[in-house]
Amino acid sequence: MSPRNKVEAMTDQASAAETATPEIPGKPTAASRTTLSHIMTHNDTNLLGTVHGGVIMKLVDDAAGAVAGRHSGGPAVTASMDEMVFLEPVRVGDLVHVKAQVNWTGRTSMEVGVRVLAERWNESAPPTQVGSAYLVFAAVDADGKPRPVPPVIPETERDKRRYQEAQIRRTHRLARRRAIRELREKRAAEGFED
């Protein structure tokens, strides 16, 4: 099974498992919220002299993974990354803050929202938002099988808005995956090989 098919299968298992389970006590959003800070050096740059997008994406995944593990109380793996947006370039000497929190939970999966901020290491100006992303994590047991996670309890109006937006994104992810699967099945039935 290809890595892509494994991720789709894990996400499908998680989606199928989202229905009935015994109640697990919920956790408030603040219980797992975290900030990862890192100063950017020349080792982080691309050929244009700005910080490589992959470096930022790794920081995003690290922060989101910490939040998912904290919230779920154990291992969680990245199932997908949605809407990674780079708003401003990050430069050498920037102090980057990656802020992450659980926005929504299903039975075995979680959406983690991440904001990336940057500020000059030697200035007192407020940080600027330079990026954002949404990641879906699946909590797994020792055998790599999906396991239940506690529901997230939104605490503030902002948390409630993020929860509602996360539900919309989940609906779109599932619809997109279903539409692509149906298109591939149709093309295969018509004799096309991809």
Side-chain angles (χ1 to χ4, degrees):
M1 184 179 287
S2 74
R4 180 184 192 104
N5 289 341
K6 281 184 181 180
V7 168
E8 286 181 4
M10 181 177 288
T11 307
D12 287 345
Q13 285 176 344
S15 295
E18 300 286 325
T19 50
T21 80
E23 282 297 313
I24 298 174
K27 288 185 179 179
T29 305
S32 58
R33 188 179 288 140
T34 194
T35 300
L36 173 70
S37 297
H38 189 79
I39 193 158
M40 298 291 109
T41 68
H42 287 288
N43 293 334
D44 301 316
T45 59
N46 59 28
L47 296 175
L48 298 175
T50 57
V51 172
H52 196 287
V55 171
I56 301 299
M57 291 173 75
K58 181 178 184 332
L59 294 173
V60 164
D61 192 42
D62 287 347
V67 166
R70 278 181 172 181
H71 183 83
S72 68
V77 296
T78 310
S80 69
M81 178 184 269
D82 288 354
E83 300 178 37
M84 181 70 216
V85 177
F86 297 99
L87 303 169
E88 299 282 337
V90 177
R91 297 181 174 14
V92 170
D94 281 355
L95 181 57
V96 172
H97 307 285
V98 183
K99 297 178 175 285
Q101 75 172 48
V102 174
N103 289 337
W104 175 89
T105 54
R107 192 180 87 69
T108 61
S109 64
M110 301 156 275
E111 183 195 90
V112 178
V114 181
R115 285 183 29 214
V116 183
L117 305 155
E119 61 181 312
R120 296 306 295 169
W121 70 273
N122 59 350
E123 296 177 8
S124 60
T128 302
Q129 184 170 351
V130 295
S132 65
Y134 300 101
L135 297 88
V136 176
F137 280 80
V140 294
D141 62 18
D143 297 321
K145 303 283 188 225
R147 63 180 174 78
V149 299
V152 67
I153 302 168
E155 299 170 282
T156 66
E157 285 306 312
R158 180 180 285 181
D159 293 340
K160 291 174 186 173
R161 174 187 54 80
R162 288 178 177 165
Y163 184 90
Q164 292 168 335
E165 290 174 357
Q167 288 178 306
I168 293 167
R169 281 187 293 274
R170 180 176 189 273
T171 300
H172 286 222
R173 276 191 294 272
L174 294 175
R176 181 178 61 230
R177 187 168 51 239
R178 198 170 27 254
I180 289 170
R181 185 180 303 134
E182 289 170 2
L183 174 64
R184 288 180 180 174
E185 289 170 357
K186 180 182 176 216
R187 287 182 55 79
E190 292 171 352
F192 293 103
E193 290 186 33
D194 290 334

